[in-house]
Amino acid sequence: MKQNIKILVIEDDDSSREALLILLKSIGFTVKGCSSGQDGLAVLSGEPFDIVITDLFLPDLNGIDILSRVKESSPRTEVILVTGYGSAETAVQAMKKGAYDYITKPLNIEELRIIIDKALEKGQLVSENVYLKKQLREKYEFANIIGNSQAMQQLFSRMKRIIKTDSTVLILGESGTGKELVAKAIHFNGNRKDKPFIAVNCSAIPENLLESELFGHVKGAFTGAVKEKVGKFEAANYGTIFLDEIGTLPMHLQTKLLRVLQEQELERVGSNKQIKLDVRVVSATNVNLEEEVARGNFREDLFYRLNVIPIVIPPLRERIEDILPLTKHFLEKNCRSMQRPIMHIDKEALEALEAYPWNGNVRELENIIERIVALTEGDLITLRDLPANIVKNYVEGTPTSVTPAGIDMVAAINEIEKRMIGEALQLAGGVKARAAVMLNINRTTLVEKMRRLGIPL
């Protein structure tokens, strides 16, 4: 709302200043006026303003001095200069130093109104950009990477040291372990957090387009290059580029990438012009690059250039103690998005999750929890709510053979009964009478067993 927009007018001519204040107030702005540059700076030091409109030439200070002081103390405040026709060149120079725009005397109030609206729009975009960057930083704080295990604590410790440097990082881990999440955490907690983060999946881009995608091209470089294109490296300048699945990079592009890393400059496809770069490179792979080097599929010199600081993300099956906090996190996240009460998981279902090998790692767990939240009616997740493959893995892992060490026969029989009842109920769509027929027992017997075994009725 305009009454929330504060404008300071600095003008030594009393009649011009008062006329402008009246006009701006009539439009709906909150305004204040000063007759000198020093008075204006004193007012600015005591309260914030969205826009400063100042004469370029004042008795004590000029508009350039005021502009410099405003931008130093309040970078988001926009400055509009008022000048005579003969001073337009000076006003243009002021714009290069940070002034938003200038307007010549005599003032055209409609023209000034348009300039103010555009300045406010720019300020809003800047504020939104700052807010979004803050949100990104909060989203990728280390605290948002879930893991209480010793392996994850070691990972966090290494990441905290890495963010203080600009060193090249190679993230190693199976598919689904969260390599991009770690890369973003390194970027958004480091010195380049306010600069671009550009992610490239090297395996997802066709080989014939990958060079142009990474390094850009000039118009006419090849058939279809109808205009010049800025590549991902240029787009990431002064920030971070994340090269995912780096092990799939074709050999000829490995050579070009090595040169870019060594020289910190690139040439667009079809050009011989050198473009200087200042980019932090974080790459990731789920293959063993040392083995790929031995097979001749990956350049050894590029491997050493990328592997300055290696980070290994352990697979989920090697950090079982993280399954509970991850499950709770994904339950809260999905329950919130689906607007339902927070769900919980019982001991047996948790044991089944912890016994599962999780070949798809954290991503697989997240997808399964989302499916459970969507399909489960109750607020407590039990073994019967889990996918059949997880239940089967859990049940088959329960000892049912007598060994020299002995066996808990009652527990083993209970587990077998639980599994069979769970499978029957799943096949019967939860209808107990139908499940009892499948098990060749009476419905009342089924209900008694369910009650004894703790299976929700």
Side-chain angles (χ1 to χ4, degrees):
M1 297 175 67
K2 285 187 176 177
Q3 59 263 39
N4 295 328
I5 302 300
K6 295 176 64 178
I7 299 178
L8 178 64
V9 176
I10 307 174
E11 168 62 68
D12 61 314
D13 184 83
D14 293 340
S15 59
S16 298
R17 184 179 66 255
E18 289 305 317
L20 186 53
L21 290 173
I22 291 168
L23 283 168
L24 292 172
K25 195 175 291 185
S26 69
I27 295 171
F29 296 115
T30 298
V31 294
K32 187 171 284 191
C34 295
S35 59
S36 71
Q38 293 292 357
D39 287 346
L41 292 175
V43 170
L44 283 165
S45 66
E47 58 182 304
F49 285 84
D50 300 285
I51 292 176
V52 173
I53 301 174
T54 178
D55 201 323
L56 184 58
F57 298 108
L58 296 163
D60 54 346
L61 295 172
N62 63 43
I64 304 293
D65 295 328
I66 294 170
L67 168 66
S68 299
R69 298 280 288 276
V70 169
K71 287 301 176 183
E72 184 179 327
S73 61
S74 179
R76 294 192 206 171
T77 300
E78 298 295 346
V79 178
I80 300 170
L81 295 169
V82 180
T83 181
Y85 283 109
S87 306
E89 187 176 336
T90 308
V92 171
Q93 292 300 318
M95 287 178 66
K96 292 179 180 178
K97 295 185 178 181
Y100 178 74
D101 208 340
Y102 71 94
I103 186 169
T104 56
K105 297 179 179 178
L107 296 185
N108 180 320
I109 192 62
E110 282 305 315
E111 183 184 355
L112 180 60
R113 192 179 199 166
I114 291 169
I115 292 173
I116 290 172
D117 286 344
K118 287 183 177 178
L120 291 172
E121 186 179 341
K122 179 195 171 188
Q124 184 178 357
L125 289 172
V126 169
S127 297
E128 287 175 357
N129 191 34
V130 169
Y131 172 76
L132 289 172
K133 284 181 176 178
K134 181 175 180 288
Q135 292 290 94
L136 278 172
R137 285 197 294 273
E138 290 175 354
K139 182 177 180 181
Y140 295 112
E141 286 179 346
F142 291 162
N144 291 326
I145 303 177
I146 311 297
N148 300 327
S149 62
Q150 185 177 355
M152 289 302 290
Q153 293 308 310
Q154 290 173 350
L155 173 65
F156 296 148
S157 177
R158 172 162 283 206
M159 287 170 66
K160 285 174 184 175
R161 291 195 294 271
I162 287 171
I163 62 173
K164 299 174 184 177
T165 76
D166 273 340
S167 299
T168 303
V169 177
L170 177 62
I171 304 173
L172 306 165
E174 295 178 6
S175 180
T177 50
K179 295 187 288 295
E180 184 167 346
L181 184 63
V182 168
K184 286 178 176 176
I186 291 170
H187 172 78
F188 286 107
N189 290 278
N191 298 328
R192 298 174 182 253
K193 58 180 176 289
D194 294 321
K195 302 301 181 183
F197 176 90
I198 304 295
V200 184
N201 188 329
C202 298
S203 66
I205 303 170
E207 185 176 333
N208 61 322
L209 300 178
L210 189 54
E211 182 175 10
S212 170
E213 195 69 23
L214 288 174
F215 308 116
H217 64 250
V218 297
K219 182 179 179 181
F222 49 83
T223 304
V226 294
K227 60 180 180 180
E228 70 175 18
K229 175 185 174 67
V230 173
K232 299 295 187 184
F233 267 90
E234 278 184 80
N237 212 7
Y238 305 109
T240 302
I241 189 165
F242 174 56
L243 302 174
D244 199 7
E245 305 296 349
I246 190 70
T248 65
L249 200 66
M251 188 62 73
H252 72 284
L253 291 184
Q254 292 180 30
T255 303
K256 187 161 185 176
L257 175 59
L258 177 64
R259 189 163 60 248
V260 169
L261 297 179
Q262 286 174 334
E263 306 299 330
Q264 280 292 291
E265 60 184 24
L266 61 77
E267 295 177 1
R268 291 180 181 176
V269 178
S271 171
N272 55 12
K273 179 184 175 184
Q274 303 295 320
I275 298 173
K276 282 290 182 184
L277 292 174
D278 177 8
V279 177
R280 182 178 197 172
V281 177
V282 178
S283 52
T285 181
N286 59 10
V287 300
N288 188 320
L289 285 186
E290 289 182 273
E291 290 181 2
E292 292 301 298
V293 168
R295 293 190 187 104
N297 296 329
F298 202 86
R299 289 188 62 125
E300 185 175 22
D301 45 7
L302 177 59
F303 170 67
Y304 290 126
R305 178 68 66 170
L306 293 172
N307 195 38
V308 176
I309 300 180
I311 291 183
V312 179
I313 306 179
L316 189 54
R317 62 183 172 274
E318 292 180 9
R319 49 186 185 107
I320 293 173
E321 58 267 52
D322 290 334
I323 289 176
L324 176 57
L326 282 166
T327 298
K328 286 182 176 179
H329 171 73
F330 294 138
L331 281 174
E332 290 173 6
K333 174 185 172 183
N334 286 288
C335 287
R336 200 163 43 242
S337 67
M338 297 183 197
Q339 298 181 336
R340 62 174 298 172
I342 300 298
M343 300 173 70
H344 302 281
I345 185 166
D346 74 6
K347 181 174 179 292
E348 188 178 37
L350 177 62
E351 287 174 354
L353 293 181
E354 291 176 340
Y356 189 65
W358 298 110
N359 294 326
N361 289 292
V362 178
R363 185 186 298 134
E364 184 183 5
L365 175 61
E366 182 175 13
N367 292 341
I368 283 174
I369 297 300
E370 181 180 352
R371 185 194 317 164
I372 290 171
V373 172
L375 299 179
T376 304
E377 291 184 4
D379 293 334
L380 181 67
I381 298 168
T382 65
L383 193 65
R384 61 182 286 189
D385 299 313
L386 302 183
N389 58 326
I390 294 179
V391 175
K392 181 181 179 184
N393 175 78
Y394 176 62
V395 172
E396 289 179 350
T398 303
T400 55
S401 301
V402 181
T403 66
I407 184 174
D408 186 338
M409 187 175 73
V410 174
I413 291 171
N414 285 343
E415 288 301 330
I416 293 170
E417 285 192 328
K418 273 187 179 182
R419 173 178 63 82
M420 295 177 72
I421 290 171
E423 289 176 353
L425 286 167
Q426 272 195 329
L427 291 169
V431 179
K432 297 183 187 66
R434 198 179 302 162
V437 172
M438 291 179 183
L439 295 167
N440 200 25
I441 59 176
N442 294 328
R443 184 186 183 281
T444 53
T445 305
L446 173 62
V447 171
E448 287 172 7
K449 286 181 179 291
M450 289 175 66
R451 189 176 288 115
R452 177 172 57 81
L453 296 168
I455 300 173
L457 298 174

